[in-house]
Amino acid sequence: MKTTIYSARKIITMNPNRPETSHVAVRDGRILGTGTLDELAGWGPYDLDDRFADKVLMPGLIEGHAHSMEGALWSFTYVGWFDRMDPDGKVWGGVKSVDDVVARLKEAEAALGGGDEPLLGWGLDPIYMDNVRMTRADLDRVSETRPVGVMHASGHILNVNTKGLELAGLLKQGQNHPGIPVGDDGLPTGELKSPEVMMPAGKHVGLDRSFLASDPGALRNYARLCVRAGVTTSSDLGQQLDDDLLKMFQDVTSANDYPVCMVAFRINFGMSPKDLVDYTASLREHSTERLELGRIKVVADGSIQGFSARIRWPGYYNGAENGLWYIAPDQLAEIYERALAAGVQVHTHTNGDEATQLAIETLETALRKAPDADHRFTLQHCQLASAAQFRKMARLGMCVNLFANHHFFWGDEHYNLTVGPERALRMNACNTALSEGVPMTIHSDAPVTPLGPLFTAWAAVNRRTASGRIQGAHECISVEQALHAITIGAAVTMKMDDVIGSIEVGKRADFAVLEEDPMEVAPEALKDIPVWGTVQGGRIFEAATI
């Protein structure tokens, strides 16, 4: 058996038994040991590889909440507010007004030529445009003959033009659904909220399978983004998995050069609670080294910046109506009870604190019926949780994955518009979660914000908004805590901490290869550390050539 020993300027292990070392030995894709060269030589013959001698190694970074549709969406037109880099490394400039969005979509429409092929844009962020709402009339300026749609940055709102509404059968009076706003003419404005109204229209504007899944090329593109970000394991949090999609994931991830372990969660859409749990449990036997299966994602509410999250009294700071429930309480209860009985882990999307409270209370009741001492049910986003809610989570054995990137991308808007100053200061309360003993990680929710755990760590450490303010300094965490969150912390929330998350004997040989030491640079510079590439399962991937 061949052994390779890698030297490095520094190896940050996230193993308290030996926090820093200079060498790591790899055999058969697993970590044989860490330490000095003399110590590792005791394992027998080896090849010494010095290619990382001037680099810093960390455990492979783990993205605990992202979506592989980040790879798929680059097949469409980016119309977000912030500049954004695509899988090829090209940076697309942000657009700053509805007119700019229309202009970029017109360019894409002209490139399509004639015909009625749908046109899709993504990343729209109207909250930065004085919260102006895009209408079907705006998108009719792009085309009146082809269906045109734009997905918001949150992923919870879709705008479509008149043609798109017609094809979906929605352009009629008498609509009585909170997710279908109507105009003065009694017809839908073109803005659609919540999956049950977005998805029927989405299939006509190009947002069908790509809303949740990827095609093979997109899944490979997503993996390229992971290497550029130092990610060796990524959740795909919310696939509408079926046998056909499962085969595609198996085929793509089994390739010898596929650089990431994907952890694909089955979303609760499209199945009864019983079928959801039974099917998800059956997927576990199909897990491989690069495809982890057998977990459920439930969506309880919408997004805060889209005003579709469910929040408790006193509601939205600007007086907007409360958001939408995406699941009925009895359905959530049945999923929790069946999943606990079957040993299937559930992660639940709860942006608003009212949705968080529902999840907590539902799980408490379910645990009385089906006790599980190590369920690690995890709340995803959980942005407005109070200290009391964190204490309850800890007592129930729950984990949390907080959306630290929100401080930068929407912090100012939360302060001024959505939840107001007091609650904005406590959003994504990393320090409180840790203080109350809740296992915690942090995430990007790509494509909602760009994939990049070092940026996410920076966001949790500094809590700096886009305008430069530090929002909620009491909730800042240390660099060491943030690095823990994007490695072993994320592994804990996915029940994979026995396999990944630290550089120690027996675990998968997953490393992030960095040009600078995150423990030595200024905390403000965490997000700017260049990533050379990754090692995943002992295989080496350089970002520059991926």
Side-chain angles (χ1 to χ4, degrees):
M1 293 183 290
K2 181 180 177 182
T3 298
T4 301
I5 297 178
Y6 296 97
S7 64
R9 172 158 53 105
K10 181 179 180 180
I11 301 174
I12 302 170
T13 68
M14 290 295 157
N15 174 12
N17 183 56
R18 185 167 246 178
E20 296 179 11
T21 64
S22 58
H23 293 76
V24 58
V26 175
R27 180 188 292 173
D28 293 338
R30 299 171 67 185
I31 297 166
L32 187 61
T34 62
T36 66
L37 183 58
D38 286 345
E39 289 171 330
L40 298 177
W43 286 105
Y46 62 87
D47 292 333
L48 180 62
D49 192 324
D50 289 326
R51 76 180 75 194
F52 304 135
D54 63 342
K55 313 295 184 190
V56 175
L57 300 185
M58 277 189 62
L61 305 183
I62 303 171
E63 177 52 79
H65 186 140
H67 304 269
S68 64
M69 70 175 179
E70 165 85 355
L73 287 175
W74 285 109
S75 300
F76 307 114
T77 304
Y78 177 66
V79 292
W81 177 269
F82 292 94
D83 295 351
R84 188 87 171 236
M85 184 178 68
D86 69 17
D88 294 323
K90 176 183 176 179
V91 176
W92 292 75
V95 290
K96 307 301 183 184
S97 69
V98 170
D99 287 340
D100 290 343
V101 171
V102 170
R104 181 167 288 183
L105 290 172
K106 279 185 173 180
E107 291 178 11
E109 198 274 338
L112 289 176
D116 57 0
E117 178 184 351
L119 173 64
L120 178 67
W122 65 281
L124 179 69
D125 218 343
I127 200 168
Y128 278 105
M129 305 172 189
D130 297 323
N131 206 34
V132 65
R133 316 315 294 178
M134 178 172 273
T135 68
R136 58 186 167 89
D138 294 317
L139 294 180
D140 286 346
R141 291 157 55 193
V142 179
S143 177
E144 295 182 349
T145 59
R146 75 170 77 242
V148 180
V150 178
M151 186 174 74
H152 287 217
S154 69
H156 288 268
I157 300 175
L158 175 70
N159 285 88
V160 297
N161 67 346
T162 298
K163 187 66 176 180
L165 287 172
E166 288 176 347
L167 291 173
L170 294 174
L171 193 66
K172 56 187 178 183
Q173 300 207 359
Q175 295 287 357
N176 186 25
H177 189 289
I180 308 178
V182 296
D184 293 337
D185 60 359
L187 294 173
T189 63
E191 185 173 271
L192 305 173
K193 305 177 182 181
S194 81
E196 72 271 15
V197 294
M198 291 172 60
M199 295 173 77
K203 65 183 181 181
H204 296 290
V205 297
L207 192 66
D208 44 17
R209 194 82 182 182
S210 300
F211 180 68
L212 293 172
S214 302
D215 56 38
L219 196 55
R220 287 189 284 268
N221 271 341
Y222 181 74
R224 294 167 63 206
L225 289 168
C226 286
V227 172
R228 294 180 185 277
V231 172
T232 55
T233 301
S234 175
S235 64
D236 198 349
L237 211 71
Q239 288 290 349
Q240 204 158 351
L241 287 170
D242 56 24
D243 292 346
D244 291 338
L245 185 55
L246 172 63
K247 186 177 186 308
M248 187 274 284
F249 266 78
Q250 290 172 322
D251 291 345
V252 173
T253 60
S254 65
N256 289 332
D257 61 350
Y258 195 76
V260 185
C261 173
M262 298 298 298
V263 186
F265 286 65
R266 211 301 175 181
I267 202 164
N268 65 297
F269 301 152
M271 279 188 173
S272 69
K274 181 181 185 304
D275 290 343
L276 173 68
V277 174
D278 289 348
Y279 183 70
T280 303
S282 75
L283 294 176
R284 288 183 290 208
E285 64 186 57
H286 298 287
S287 292
T288 68
E289 287 272 313
R290 293 193 288 279
L291 181 60
E292 275 278 337
L293 299 162
R295 298 164 178 81
I296 288 172
K297 158 78 173 297
V298 173
V299 184
D301 68 342
S303 84
I304 297 172
Q305 72 272 25
F307 300 96
S308 57
R310 294 291 304 191
I311 64 175
R312 296 197 290 185
W313 188 89
Y316 283 102
Y317 190 54
N318 69 341
E321 292 185 6
N322 207 346
L324 304 174
W325 287 112
Y326 284 13
I327 190 169
D330 59 338
Q331 288 181 310
L332 183 65
E334 185 176 353
I335 291 172
Y336 280 7
E337 290 169 20
R338 289 184 178 276
L340 287 168
V344 173
Q345 191 189 26
V346 179
H347 286 217
T348 306
H349 163 123
T350 66
N351 260 313
D353 50 357
E354 188 176 24
T356 291
Q357 189 64 26
L358 174 66
I360 290 171
E361 292 176 0
T362 303
L363 180 60
E364 183 176 25
T365 300
L367 283 168
R368 294 193 185 103
K369 299 178 180 180
D372 185 338
D374 190 29
H375 58 83
R376 298 191 222 177
F377 276 30
T378 298
L379 296 184
Q380 294 283 348
H381 306 324
C382 197
Q383 294 199 73
L384 282 175
S386 66
Q389 288 177 325
F390 281 118
R391 285 191 289 271
K392 189 73 169 183
M393 290 179 223
R395 289 195 293 271
L396 293 176
M398 301 177 80
C399 304
V400 69
N401 190 348
L402 299 175
F403 202 165
N405 284 14
H406 253 259
H407 307 316
F408 177 77
F409 287 98
W410 292 286
D412 292 320
E413 281 61 44
H414 291 319
Y415 188 96
N416 295 315
L417 190 65
T418 68
V419 299
E422 183 175 350
R423 285 176 293 178
L425 295 180
R426 77 158 195 246
M427 290 183 76
N428 299 292
C430 294
N431 186 53
T432 296
L434 293 176
S435 298
E436 298 298 343
V438 181
M440 184 208 74
T441 185
I442 49 182
H443 65 273
S444 69
D445 197 13
V448 176
T449 71
L451 179 73
L454 289 174
F455 181 95
T456 303
W458 169 86
V461 168
N462 295 282
R463 292 181 66 93
R464 196 170 292 277
T465 70
S467 68
R469 295 184 304 108
I470 296 175
Q471 189 155 287
H474 59 290
E475 290 294 352
C476 291
I477 59 175
S478 70
V479 170
E480 185 174 3
Q481 288 171 320
L483 297 180
H484 183 279
I486 59 175
T487 53
I488 193 68
V492 167
T493 67
M494 293 193 288
K495 287 193 168 185
M496 294 180 69
D497 49 309
D498 59 327
V499 180
I500 56 174
S502 60
I503 301 177
E504 58 182 302
V505 62
K507 289 194 174 184
R508 190 177 295 158
D510 287 3
F511 314 133
V513 184
L514 310 180
E515 299 285 3
E516 297 177 32
D517 183 352
M519 301 295 291
E520 296 295 333
V521 303
E524 294 78 12
L526 265 179
K527 63 182 176 60
D528 302 316
I529 294 176
V531 176
W532 180 91
T534 61
V535 179
Q536 202 279 330
R539 300 165 304 135
I540 298 171
F541 300 95
E542 184 179 2
T545 60
I546 191 68

